[in-house]
Amino acid sequence: MRFPDEIRLAPDEFRLLRDLINQHCGIALSPEQRPVIERRLRERLSVHGLHSFGEYYQLLRSPDRGRAELDEALDLVTINETYFYREDYQLTALRNELFPMLRRPPLSRESLSIWSAGCSTGEEVYSIAITAREAGLSGRRDLRIFGSDISRRCVAHARRGVYGTSSFRAIPADLKRKYFVEKPDGMHVQDDLRAWCHFGHLNLLDPVRASVVGRVDIIFCRNVLIYFDDVSRRRVIDMFYDRLLPGGFLLLGHSESLLNVSTAFELVHLRDDLVYRKPITASRFAPGGLDGGTLGSGKP
């Protein structure tokens, strides 16, 4: 009998797992990641009493247990590095430029809706909420914020709203004091701020599930699409275009762009950033777009 730490992920088994994960959620694993994937997934073999990664692949493909186990695997292989006020220049732009643009003619939104796509453990969502509060928005009447992630573990963490020291490496000290409460198990997001924020498990390659977000004014998707292959990246960007209201904004990470991905968006130059906007004159419901939704701005 082989001990769990002796089980190796063979190249052909890695290719099978890599292709299955890519097909499911768009994440593209490189050959150099094989030792990391072997280490992270080996414990799942032990849980199920399996003796090879080939057997584990067959489990992932099974109609009865495969989907739930794939969620477990994705929790282990996805990267979830984040912290409060990461790339804070975009939050400054949100407060000083994007909010005012959306609330004056020709848009004049009475209420706003923001989606953090790939929110990890929630720090980005709460950073957006703090920025909105500092900008004078009053929450339930003015704003809804929805965070989604492929990792159920991350979504559970985000809903709990409790964080350790490493999450506060960039947030201004006065905001930390103002919006968090220290308790024995960590720093807790204040309840009234947490009430603004909603979280859900969502695969960005599932446009039907994405429709629950509703139509939104702003999408943050920062440092997520860099892990996707080109085809999946285009699918997600097309879905974002459908989810955005005309005049809505898409914010990517500082090293990301839509070059060679999409020409449907307008490039908008802000004081310290470049963002993408769905044209104001775009049809409210683009051809092939999804309708409805239960979250978001509440607009038809």
Side-chain angles (χ1 to χ4, degrees), residues 114-131:
I114 299 175
W115 177 16
S116 170
C119 70
S120 186
T121 45
E123 286 92 333
E124 178 174 270
V125 173
Y126 293 119
S127 296
I128 293 168
I130 292 170
T131 301

Side-chain angles (χ1 to χ4, degrees), residues 163-179:
Y163 297 93
T165 303
S166 65
S167 292
F168 295 92
R169 71 190 78 167
I171 190 172
D174 61 322
L175 296 181
K176 180 180 179 182
R177 289 191 297 269
K178 188 174 181 179
Y179 293 105

Side-chain angles (χ1 to χ4, degrees), residues 146 200-203 206-213 290:
F146 178 65
H201 172 256
L202 196 150
N203 179 351
D206 185 347
V208 175
R209 281 285 299 148
S211 68
V212 304
V213 178
L290 296 168

Side-chain angles (χ1 to χ4, degrees), residues 208-249:
V208 175
R209 281 285 299 148
S211 68
V212 304
V213 178
R215 301 283 169 175
V216 299
D217 298 287
I218 300 172
I219 297 174
F220 280 78
C221 186
R222 306 190 295 179
N223 308 303
V224 174
L225 297 180
I226 55 176
Y227 300 107
F228 284 42
D229 66 278
D230 290 343
V231 172
S232 299
R233 192 177 296 118
R234 289 189 181 94
R235 287 177 58 188
V236 173
I237 292 298
D238 287 346
M239 181 269 292
F240 285 162
Y241 187 90
D242 285 340
R243 289 293 96 212
L244 280 169
L245 288 160
F249 294 95

Side-chain angles (χ1 to χ4, degrees), residues 15-34:
R15 286 191 293 270
L16 290 172
L17 292 173
R18 176 198 64 191
D19 292 347
L20 183 64
I21 289 171
N22 176 252
Q23 182 181 19
H24 176 67
C25 66
I27 293 174
L29 300 174
S30 67
E32 292 74 21
Q33 292 175 278
R34 179 160 62 97

Side-chain angles (χ1 to χ4, degrees), residues 114-291:
I114 299 175
W115 177 16
S116 170
C119 70
S120 186
T121 45
E123 286 92 333
E124 178 174 270
V125 173
Y126 293 119
S127 296
I128 293 168
I130 292 170
T131 301
R133 178 70 65 83
E134 292 294 302
L137 276 71
S138 57
R140 293 171 186 250
R141 185 183 70 237
D142 292 340
L143 179 69
R144 292 198 74 170
I145 309 171
F146 178 65
S148 70
D149 202 88
I150 190 71
S151 167
R152 294 185 186 275
R153 174 180 50 82
C154 285
V155 169
H157 188 152
R159 285 175 174 154
R160 185 165 176 255
V162 181
Y163 297 93
T165 303
S166 65
S167 292
F168 295 92
R169 71 190 78 167
I171 190 172
D174 61 322
L175 296 181
K176 180 180 179 182
R177 289 191 297 269
K178 188 174 181 179
Y179 293 105
F180 296 86
V181 178
E182 186 172 7
K183 296 183 179 181
D185 59 341
M187 299 296 292
H188 289 236
V189 180
Q190 284 191 349
D191 288 343
D192 60 342
L193 189 72
R194 194 156 60 90
W196 289 25
C197 305
H198 309 270
F199 298 93
H201 172 256
L202 196 150
N203 179 351
L204 294 179
L205 288 191
D206 185 347
V208 175
R209 281 285 299 148
S211 68
V212 304
V213 178
R215 301 283 169 175
V216 299
D217 298 287
I218 300 172
I219 297 174
F220 280 78
C221 186
R222 306 190 295 179
N223 308 303
V224 174
L225 297 180
I226 55 176
Y227 300 107
F228 284 42
D229 66 278
D230 290 343
V231 172
S232 299
R233 192 177 296 118
R234 289 189 181 94
R235 287 177 58 188
V236 173
I237 292 298
D238 287 346
M239 181 269 292
F240 285 162
Y241 187 90
D242 285 340
R243 289 293 96 212
L244 280 169
L245 288 160
F249 294 95
L250 172 63
L251 284 73
L252 303 177
H254 74 278
S255 63
E256 300 174 293
S257 79
L258 297 186
L259 185 65
N260 300 321
V261 178
S262 174
T263 59
F265 288 86
E266 301 172 339
L267 186 61
V268 178
H269 293 256
L270 304 178
R271 280 192 286 271
D272 296 308
D273 196 17
L274 297 173
V275 299
Y276 295 94
R277 179 171 61 190
K278 181 173 181 175
I280 296 173
T281 56
S283 169
R284 194 177 189 85
F285 301 111
L290 296 168
D291 204 349

